[in-house]
Amino acid sequence: MSGVRTGEIKALSGLRIVAALWVVFFHFRPLLEEASPPLRSAFAPILNAGAQGVDLFFILSGFVLTWNYLDRMGESWSLGSTLRFLWLRLARVWPVYLVTMHLAAAFAVFTLYVGRFPLPPPVIESLNALSWIKQVLLVQLWFQPFFDGSSWDGPAWSISAEWLAYLLFGGVVLIVFRIAAATRARNLIWLAVAAALPPTLLLLAHGVFYTPWSWLPRIVMQFIAGALACAAVRKLRLSDGGQRTFGVLSLVLVAIIVGGLYLLDAYPPGGMLDAGGLIDILFVPLVITLSLGVGTLPALLSTRVMVYLGHVSFSLYMLHEIVHTAWNWAVLQFGITLTPSWTAKFTVLGLIGLAGVGAALLYHFVEEPARRWMRRMIEPKTPRAARPGDGHQSRLQSVAARAG
């Protein structure tokens, strides 16, 4: 494998849209049931486990940030470097987060004055100044044991959880740097798998993922698991044959994950309600094999289309539930009834497509421009007179900016 240890890992960028769509279809299950009960039933084991897409995001987040910042922040702690990292993370998530947060609030207010069916009282009651302050500061989840109702835009709870991980990253990266220096790659992989286990152990103890404060070990431990997995990958040097083998292994892991979901759905251990959550244990090896492998699945996820969709995935994740909520309100307002038909199927696909188009617009007109704008606030001013080679340097900085 190449010695490069920074920049974008395209297969992992492509994986992001898979994780995002998994969450989207999880939330759209009731509409799928109305539009096509056989289709909903056929894919039920996969759709019912769609919430695990968030756990995959947490692991990816820990992995990618460690990939880009381990050398820059791991050797010694620097207040300046830590603050710069946190600002760049805000630049990445805050613009779309703030836009969708206020869109969700605006729609809730809209339903108070238009039509006969305002959103449920808990939503309206949460529209207050204190809640606004908490959400703007990304801390709304930190004060309650359950994430339902914590955010005006439902999926935003996970961004509040990630913000906690970002604040901890300055310490985590110091520890991971030292563990990596003293540990072989194979043992780092085992440590990563072990770090991802606490949410699974809680699932085995309670039979459900959604227990008081369960979000906390999910974000902290899976973020750390991703960081340790990255440290292992950075140490590995594979031959061409080894990279192809890892590519095939990633495909095998996906087959095992899908097969496992169907098996756990048919035979849940001890009658477990969220048995599909047990497949989380395979996310760490999946991310590792995709980051190291070539051909097969890594090649598919690395295509230009998949990488682009991966870049848009955050906007889709943040926007889709607003589209879903608006549709549910319209159903009540206009007495819309979906019955199994091609019209109903196209309606559901149209709603998801609408979320996708909105996500692309958010990405191009909010996410990327605002990220570059916020980044320029902390970058040193460049001299007016360009020096020879500045064009090449500018391109390198552009790649690094996207990775950050």
Side-chain angles (χ1 to χ4, degrees), residues 5 14 52 99 103 137 164 252 308 325 358 362 371 381:
R5 286 293 180 267
Q52 308 318 125
V99 168
L103 276 177
L137 297 178
L164 175 61
V252 171
Y308 170 75
T325 301
L362 268 180
R371 180 187 67 81
K381 292 183 179 179

Side-chain angles (χ1 to χ4, degrees), residues 351-374:
L351 289 169
I352 295 173
L354 178 63
V357 171
L361 293 173
L362 268 180
Y363 174 75
H364 288 290
F365 294 102
V366 175
E367 184 175 346
E368 277 295 285
R371 180 187 67 81
R372 290 193 295 267
W373 174 62
M374 291 179 68

